[in-house]
C-alpha cells in the first residue's frame, strides 16, 4: 500500500495545483478500481470421481465478461487449468492433466458467470483453484477449494471362522475416497464394537477396507455393516443373519462346511467386483443376450458390407486396395479437391449409405492409437473444421490421448478400461438411433438416444489421428 506524505515548505503555493491534480487522479483511479469483484461459493465444492463438476464463479455486480480474460489456475498463475482470452478459449500451454476435460460455461458469461466445468473428475484434481478475471489493467480473483470423493462398492459380508466362543464375521468393500468410516450395527441400529479394522490404498488410489466382528449365539445374529463416505454424507449397507446352526454346538462338521461355503461365495463375489472395477464388467454380458427385449432389437440388425469411399478421404489418409482399411501417411497426397473430400480433419466416409432399416458392421481399432468410429449424415461439412457431435452431423465414440469418450454434446467420458479392440456399430434408421457395442465381450459402450439421428442418408464415418493407428472394416 502506497502512502502519500506531505511536508510544508516555502514552495507550497507553487505545488498546490499539482496536489489538486494528484488527488483528483487518485480518486478517479479508486472509482475505476471498484468496477467489479470476483466471488466464489465460499465453501468447498465436492466432486465425485469419474463424473463432471462445476466450479462456480461470478462477477459482482453482474456484467458481461465476454471481452475479459478469465483464467483458472492452481498454485502457478502461468500453468493454467483453463484460459479464456480475446473472446475464445485458449488451449495452448494448458496443463496436460486437464486437456480435453475443461469447459468455461459461456451460457451466463454476459451476466458475469465465469464458472468452469471439469469432466471425468480424478483424484489428482483435488485442491485449491483460483478464478482470476482481468479487464484492461483492472483484475480481481477468488479462491475455491475442490474436494474429490468416490462412493465404493456395497459391503460384502462373509463368515470366516470360529473364534472366542463365537463366529468371526468380516465386512469388505473397495473403491472409496477419502478413507471411509465402517460401522457394525444390530437390528435395532445400535453400534457394535469391531474386532479389527484394516484399510489400504489400491492401485487406483482408492481405499479398500476390511472390518471384522465376533458374533455370539443368541446375541446379535441380525447384523449390518455400514460403510460411509464422510465427504458425500452417503453410505452403503449390507445385512446378514447368522442362523443357530452356524454355531459349534449344533454340529461342528456342518458349521465348518457352511463356513467354507460362505467364504467361497464371499471370495467369488469379491473377485467379480474386482474384475468389474478393472474393466471386465462380466455381469454386463448376460444383459446382452437376445432373450432380453432391448437386446432382441439389436439382434434384428442386418450385417452390412461396408467399404471406404476414396473420393471422401482426407489427402493424408491411405486406403488399402480393397478399401477396407485406412492409415495416416506422413505427407498429403496430390488428390483432386472435389466437394466430397474432407480437407481439414483426417476423416473418410463409407461408400454405403442408409436411409431406412437396421444395419450393423464392425471396425477393428486394435492397439493404443488415436481414432474415432461412428456414422455421419451425408450432408456433413467436408471443408474446414467440423463440430464432432450430433449438432455437426457426427455420432461416434473416440479414443483421444488417455481418454475414451462418446462425442455427444457435451462429450460423455467413458471408462478408458472399456476402450475395445473391435467395435460393432448398430444403426437403426427407423428409430433414429446409433448404438456401439464391444464386439469382443458383447458389452454396451454407448447409445445415442432414439430420434437423435435425422431421417436423411447416413454413412459410416472414421477418423484417424496418428500414424500408429490402423482402422479396418471387419468381414
Amino acid at each position: 500500500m502506497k502512502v502519500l506524505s506531505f511536508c510544508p515548505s516555502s514552495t507550497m503555493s507553487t505545488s498546490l495545483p499539482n496536489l489538486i491534480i494528484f488527488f483528483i487522479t487518485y480518486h478517479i483511479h479508486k472509482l475505476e478500481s471498484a468496477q467489479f469483484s470476483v466471488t466464489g461459493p465460499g465453501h468447498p465444492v465436492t466432486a465425485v470421481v469419474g463424473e463432471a463438476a462445476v466450479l462456480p464463479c461470478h462477477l459482482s455486480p453482474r456484467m458481461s465478461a465476454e471481452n475479459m480474460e478469465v483464467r483458472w489456475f492452481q498454485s502457478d498463475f502461468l500453468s493454467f487449468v483453463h484460459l479464456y482470452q480475446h473472446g475464445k478459449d485458449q488451449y495452448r500451454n494448458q496443463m496436460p492433466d486437464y486437456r480435453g476435460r475443461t469447459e468455461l460455461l459461456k451460457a451466463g458469461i454476459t451476466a458475469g458467470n465465469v464458472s468452469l466445468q471439469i469432466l471425468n473428475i480424478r483424484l489428482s484434481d483435488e485442491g485449491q483453484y483460483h478464478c482470476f478475471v482481468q479487464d484492461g489493467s483492472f483484475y480481481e480473483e477468488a479462491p475455491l477449494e475442490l474436494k474429490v470423493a468416490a462412493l465404493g462398492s456395497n459391503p460384502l459380508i462373509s463368515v470366516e471362522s470360529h473364534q472366542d466362543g463365537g463366529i468371526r464375521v468380516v465386512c469388505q468393500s473397495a473403491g472409496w475416497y477419502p478413507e471411509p468410516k465402517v460401522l457394525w450395527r444390530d437390528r435395532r441400529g445400535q453400534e457394535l464394537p469391531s474386532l479389527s479394522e484394516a484399510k489400504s490404498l489400491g492401485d487406483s488410489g482408492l481405499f479398500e477396507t476390511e472390518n471384522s466382528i465376533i458374533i455370539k449365539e443368541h446375541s446379535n445374529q441380525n447384523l449390518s455393516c455400514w460403510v460411509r463416505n464422510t465427504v458425500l454424507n452417503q453410505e452403503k449397507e449390507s445385512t446378514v443373519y447368522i442362523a443357530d446352526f452356524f454355531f459349534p454346538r449344533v454340529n461342528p462338521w456342518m458349521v465348518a462346511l457352511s463356513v467354507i461355503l460362505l467364504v467361497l461365495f464371499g471370495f467369488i463375489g469379491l473377485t467379480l467386483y474386482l474384475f468389474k472395477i478393472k474393466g471386465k464388467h462380466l455381469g454386463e454380458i448376460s444383459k446382452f443376450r437376445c432373450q432380453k427385449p432391448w437386446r432382441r432389437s439389436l439382434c434384428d440388425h442386418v450385417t452390412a458390407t461396408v467399404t471406404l469411399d476414396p473420393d471422401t478421404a482426407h489427402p493424408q489418409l491411405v486406403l488399402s486396395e480393397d478399401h477396407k482399411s485406412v492409415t495416416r501417411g506422413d505427407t498429403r497426397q496430390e488428390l483432386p479437391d472435389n466437394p466430397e473430400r474432407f480437407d481439414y480433419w483426417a476423416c473418410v466416409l463409407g461408400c454405403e449409405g442408409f436411409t431406412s432399416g437396421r444395419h450393423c458392421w464392425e471396425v477393428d481399432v486394435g492397439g493404443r492409437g488415436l481414432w474415432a468410429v461412428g456414422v455421419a449424415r451425408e450432408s456433413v461439412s467436408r471443408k474446414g473444421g467440423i463440430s464432432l457431435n450430433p449438432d455437426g452431423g457426427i455420432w461416434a465414440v473416440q479414443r483421444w490421448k488417455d481418454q475414451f469418450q462418446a462425442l455427444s454434446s457435451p462429450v460423455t467420458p467413458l471408462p478408458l478400461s472399456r476402450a475395445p479392440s473391435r467395435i460393432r456399430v448398430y444403426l437403426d434408421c427407423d428409430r433414429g438411433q446409433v448404438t456401439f457395442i464391444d464386439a469382443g465381450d458383447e458389452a454396451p459402450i454407448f447409445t445415442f438416444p432414439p430420434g437423435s439421428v435425422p431421417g436423411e442418408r447416413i454413412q459410416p464415418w472414421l477418423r484417424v489421428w496418428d500414424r500408429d493407428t490402423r482402422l479396418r472394416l471387419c468381414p
Side-chain angles (χ1 to χ4, degrees):
M1 177 178 179
K2 294 183 179 179
V3 180
L4 176 67
S5 62
F6 175 73
C7 299
S9 69
S10 60
T11 59
M12 178 178 175
S13 59
T14 60
S15 61
L16 183 59
N18 292 333
L19 287 174
I20 294 173
I21 294 172
F22 171 81
F23 280 115
I24 293 174
T25 305
Y26 173 77
H27 285 290
I28 290 175
H29 178 72
K30 242 182 120 177
L31 290 173
E32 289 178 350
S33 300
Q35 290 180 8
F36 61 82
S37 61
V38 179
T39 307
H43 56 79
V45 174
T46 302
V48 178
V49 171
E51 298 183 3
V54 174
L55 309 187
C57 184
H58 64 275
L59 305 185
S60 180
R62 293 184 177 182
M63 62 180 67
S64 176
E66 282 184 300
N67 298 318
M68 299 182 186
E69 175 183 319
V70 180
R71 181 186 297 258
W72 283 89
F73 65 96
Q74 291 181 307
S75 57
D76 187 350
F77 181 83
L78 297 179
S79 299
F80 58 85
V81 174
H82 191 92
L83 177 61
Y84 173 86
Q85 198 177 51
H86 307 307
K88 61 182 180 180
D89 298 310
Q90 307 289 338
Y91 295 106
R92 187 178 180 182
N93 298 325
Q94 183 184 26
M95 293 178 67
D97 287 349
Y98 292 93
R99 286 175 186 166
R101 295 198 300 126
T102 62
E103 178 186 6
L104 191 71
L105 301 180
K106 303 181 184 67
I109 196 170
T110 56
N113 188 341
V114 290
S115 300
L116 179 72
Q117 178 173 251
I118 303 179
L119 303 175
N120 191 20
I121 288 291
R122 305 169 181 172
L123 293 179
S124 59
D125 295 336
E126 188 170 71
Q128 188 171 68
Y129 293 74
H130 296 267
C131 176
F132 173 92
V133 183
Q134 181 171 358
D135 184 18
S137 61
F138 178 80
Y139 62 87
E140 285 285 348
E141 69 175 87
L144 181 149
E145 184 179 1
L146 176 66
K147 289 184 175 294
V148 176
L151 199 62
S153 64
N154 289 323
L156 176 66
I157 300 177
S158 58
V159 177
E160 294 288 321
S161 61
H162 292 99
Q163 185 174 335
D164 299 333
I167 294 177
R168 183 173 180 266
V169 183
V170 174
C171 176
Q172 297 171 306
S173 186
W176 296 84
Y177 190 85
E179 184 176 321
K181 183 177 182 180
V182 182
L183 294 175
W184 291 100
R185 291 177 177 164
D186 61 19
R187 60 183 176 183
R188 295 183 298 275
Q190 297 297 315
E191 185 176 343
L192 301 173
S194 299
L195 173 67
S196 65
E197 182 176 14
K199 294 174 183 174
S200 61
L201 278 174
D203 295 338
S204 61
L206 303 178
F207 281 94
E208 302 171 0
T209 180
E210 179 176 302
N211 196 297
S212 65
I213 190 172
I214 299 296
I215 299 299
K216 301 294 180 69
E217 187 178 6
H218 304 312
S219 58
N220 296 300
Q221 294 175 234
N222 282 82
L223 193 64
S224 296
C225 177
W226 295 64
V227 186
R228 182 175 183 82
N229 186 305
T230 55
V231 173
L232 297 175
N233 288 323
Q234 296 183 40
E235 57 196 16
K236 291 194 174 183
E237 172 196 10
S238 291
T239 303
V240 68
Y241 174 77
I242 311 298
D244 289 340
F245 68 82
F246 281 97
F247 292 90
R249 72 175 185 84
V250 179
N251 187 320
W253 292 105
M254 289 297 294
V255 172
L257 178 61
S258 300
V259 169
I260 291 172
L261 290 175
L262 277 176
V263 172
L264 179 61
F265 291 144
F267 177 77
I268 292 173
L270 183 62
T271 301
L272 288 177
Y273 171 75
L274 293 176
F275 269 110
K276 180 179 179 181
I277 64 175
K278 288 180 180 179
K280 301 301 182 181
H281 295 275
L282 300 179
E284 295 292 338
I285 297 175
S286 61
K287 298 179 182 179
F288 267 72
R289 302 304 180 197
C290 284
Q291 61 266 28
K292 300 294 183 181
W294 68 277
R295 179 66 178 103
R296 193 159 50 240
S297 67
L298 295 182
C299 293
D300 294 339
H301 285 62
V302 177
T303 301
T305 300
V306 178
T307 55
L308 300 176
D309 185 354
D311 291 335
T312 67
H314 183 274
Q316 208 165 341
L317 293 182
V318 179
L319 272 58
S320 61
E321 290 186 5
D322 60 0
H323 293 176
K324 285 286 189 178
S325 65
V326 57
T327 56
R328 184 161 182 163
D330 294 329
T331 58
R332 295 173 68 98
Q333 304 172 79
E334 294 295 332
L335 298 174
D337 187 20
N338 50 288
E340 298 86 2
R341 190 178 307 283
F342 292 96
D343 67 354
Y344 187 80
W345 299 117
C347 306
V348 62
L349 293 175
C351 293
E352 295 71 24
F354 309 98
T355 57
S356 62
R358 298 171 177 176
H359 313 273
C360 68
W361 59 92
E362 290 185 7
V363 183
D364 190 332
V365 296
R368 298 182 61 84
L370 309 180
W371 46 261
V373 170
V375 299
R377 63 188 180 199
E378 187 178 33
S379 60
V380 67
S381 176
R382 317 293 175 88
K383 307 301 180 184
I386 309 169
S387 296
L388 300 180
N389 53 44
D391 295 335
I394 301 290
W395 295 262
V397 294
Q398 72 172 5
R399 177 164 185 155
W400 184 74
K401 296 188 178 179
D402 60 346
Q403 301 173 48
F404 186 36
Q405 305 169 327
L407 297 180
S408 52
S409 184
V411 169
T412 301
L414 302 171
L416 184 61
S417 59
R418 292 298 305 137
S421 60
R422 181 180 288 197
I423 293 177
R424 187 176 303 143
V425 184
Y426 288 89
L427 171 63
D428 189 336
C429 296
D430 301 329
R431 297 187 66 196
Q433 178 175 302
V434 180
T435 299
F436 298 91
I437 301 295
D438 186 335
D441 60 8
E442 298 291 319
I445 297 175
F446 188 79
T447 297
F448 287 90
S452 60
V453 181
E456 65 175 273
R457 190 168 184 260
I458 302 298
Q459 297 171 262
W461 175 84
L462 303 177
R463 182 183 177 191
V464 179
W465 263 276
D466 54 38
R467 300 179 186 87
D468 299 327
T469 300
R470 177 177 179 268
L471 302 181
R472 180 166 181 80
L473 296 166
C474 305

